[in-house]
Coordinates of all heavy atoms in Angstrom, one line a residue:
Chain B
A52 N -24.5 -2.3 2.5 CA -24.0 -2.2 3.9 C -23.9 -0.7 4.3 O -23.5 0.2 3.6 CB -22.6 -2.8 3.9
K53 N -24.3 -0.5 5.6 CA -24.2 0.8 6.1 C -22.8 1.2 6.4 O -22.0 0.4 6.6 CB -25.0 0.9 7.4 CG -26.5 0.7 7.2 CD -27.2 0.7 8.5 CE -28.7 0.5 8.3 NZ -29.4 0.3 9.6
E54 N -22.6 2.5 6.4 CA -21.2 3.0 6.7 C -20.9 2.7 8.1 O -21.7 3.0 9.0 CB -21.1 4.5 6.4 CG -19.7 4.9 6.5 CD -19.6 6.4 6.1 OE1 -20.4 6.9 5.3 OE2 -18.6 7.0 6.5
V55 N -19.8 2.1 8.4 CA -19.5 1.7 9.8 C -18.2 2.5 10.1 O -17.3 2.6 9.3 CB -19.2 0.2 9.9 CG1 -18.8 -0.2 11.3 CG2 -20.4 -0.6 9.5
H56 N -18.2 3.0 11.3 CA -17.0 3.8 11.7 C -16.1 2.9 12.6 O -16.6 2.4 13.7 CB -17.4 5.0 12.5 CG -16.2 5.7 13.1 ND1 -15.3 6.4 12.3 CD2 -15.7 5.8 14.4 CE1 -14.3 6.8 13.1 NE2 -14.5 6.5 14.3
F57 N -15.0 2.5 12.1 CA -14.0 1.9 12.9 C -13.0 2.9 13.5 O -12.8 4.0 12.8 CB -13.2 0.9 12.1 CG -14.0 -0.3 11.6 CD1 -14.4 -0.4 10.3 CD2 -14.4 -1.3 12.5 CE1 -15.2 -1.5 9.9 CE2 -15.1 -2.4 12.1 CZ -15.5 -2.5 10.7
H58 N -12.5 2.7 14.6 CA -11.5 3.6 15.1 C -10.3 3.5 14.1 O -10.0 2.5 13.5 CB -11.1 3.3 16.5 CG -10.1 2.2 16.6 ND1 -10.5 0.9 16.5 CD2 -8.7 2.2 16.7 CE1 -9.4 0.1 16.6 NE2 -8.3 0.9 16.7
N59 N -9.5 4.6 14.1 CA -8.4 4.6 13.1 C -7.1 5.0 13.8 O -7.0 6.0 14.5 CB -8.8 5.7 12.1 CG -7.6 6.0 11.2 OD1 -7.0 5.0 10.7 ND2 -7.2 7.2 11.0
A60 N -6.2 4.1 13.7 CA -4.9 4.3 14.2 C -4.1 5.2 13.2 O -4.1 5.0 12.0 CB -4.1 3.0 14.4
Q61 N -3.4 6.2 13.7 CA -2.6 7.1 12.9 C -1.2 6.8 13.2 O -0.8 6.1 14.1 CB -3.0 8.5 13.1 CG -4.4 8.8 12.8 CD -4.8 10.3 13.1 OE1 -4.0 11.2 13.2 NE2 -6.1 10.5 13.3
G62 N -0.3 7.5 12.5 CA 1.1 7.4 12.9 C 2.1 7.8 11.8 O 1.7 7.8 10.6
G63 N 3.3 8.2 12.2 CA 4.3 8.6 11.3 C 5.3 7.5 11.0 O 5.5 6.6 11.8
L64 N 5.9 7.7 9.9 CA 7.0 6.7 9.5 C 8.3 7.1 10.2 O 8.4 8.0 10.9 CB 7.2 6.8 7.9 CG 5.9 6.4 7.2 CD1 6.1 6.5 5.7 CD2 5.5 5.0 7.5
R65 N 9.3 6.2 9.9 CA 10.6 6.3 10.6 C 11.1 7.8 10.5 O 11.1 8.4 9.5 CB 11.5 5.3 10.0 CG 12.9 5.3 10.6 CD 13.8 4.5 9.7 NE 15.1 4.4 10.4 CZ 15.7 3.2 10.8 NH1 15.0 2.1 10.7 NH2 16.8 3.2 11.4
L66 N 11.7 8.2 11.6 CA 12.4 9.5 11.6 C 13.8 9.3 11.2 O 14.5 8.4 11.7 CB 12.3 10.1 13.0 CG 11.0 10.6 13.5 CD1 11.0 11.0 15.0 CD2 10.5 11.8 12.7
V67 N 14.3 10.1 10.3 CA 15.7 10.0 9.9 C 16.3 11.4 9.7 O 15.5 12.4 9.7 CB 15.7 9.4 8.5 CG1 15.4 7.9 8.5 CG2 14.8 10.1 7.5
N68 N 17.6 11.5 9.6 CA 18.2 12.8 9.2 C 18.8 12.5 7.8 O 18.7 11.4 7.3 CB 19.3 13.3 10.1 CG 20.4 12.3 10.3 OD1 20.8 11.6 9.4 ND2 20.9 12.2 11.6

Side-chain angles (χ1 to χ4, degrees):
Chain B
K53 291 177 183 171
E54 190 176 334
V55 180
H56 173 72
F57 292 106
H58 80 281
N59 174 45
Q61 300 178 22
L64 299 176
R65 181 189 184 115
L66 289 170
V67 291
N68 60 36

